[in-house]
Amino acid sequence: MKRKLAQGCCGPQAAERNAACCKVEALIPIDARGQIVLPKDLRERAHIHPGDKLAVVAFENEGSVCCIALVKADSFADTVKGMLGPMMNEIMQE
């Protein structure tokens, strides 16, 4: 039986609910062609299967990429809404 992941599991609201929602899962090497392998146990827990798509999100600090995150494409829209929604509400109230 597949476990259904909560909507917006990576947004700021999730971090408020669970301080340990984000953690280092593994240190993985990058091969000569720039490819990586996600550990099998992580793929299984995240329900990532061959053919699934992941959105690559880069965070910059002073013009240099400092953090790269992978988000399942099917939940990416919900994650973006969760992150930008409160900011847009604040802007609209001004």
Side-chain angles (χ1 to χ4, degrees):
M1 181 174 153
K2 285 188 179 180
R3 182 179 68 149
K4 183 170 174 146
L5 297 176
Q7 294 292 333
C9 66
C10 298
Q13 294 84 8
E16 291 172 9
R17 287 191 309 269
N18 181 4
C21 71
C22 297
K23 62 182 179 178
V24 174
E25 288 287 341
L27 294 175
I28 53 176
I30 300 174
D31 72 13
R33 293 180 10 195
Q35 297 178 329
I36 63 171
V37 174
L38 297 176
K40 181 180 179 181
D41 67 315
L42 179 59
R43 292 192 316 266
E44 288 174 348
R45 288 187 290 133
H47 305 286
I48 297 172
H49 306 286
D52 287 353
K53 296 193 183 290
L54 301 174
V56 178
V57 181
F59 299 89
E60 289 189 16
N61 184 12
E62 297 179 6
S64 180
V65 173
C66 60
C67 182
I68 299 170
L70 300 174
V71 180
K72 290 177 70 172
D74 60 355
S75 67
F76 185 67
D78 291 331
T79 300
V80 170
K81 287 178 191 174
M83 295 170 109
L84 294 180
M87 181 175 34
M88 293 303 293
N89 288 338
E90 187 177 312
I91 291 170
M92 298 302 284
Q93 291 175 358
E94 291 180 357

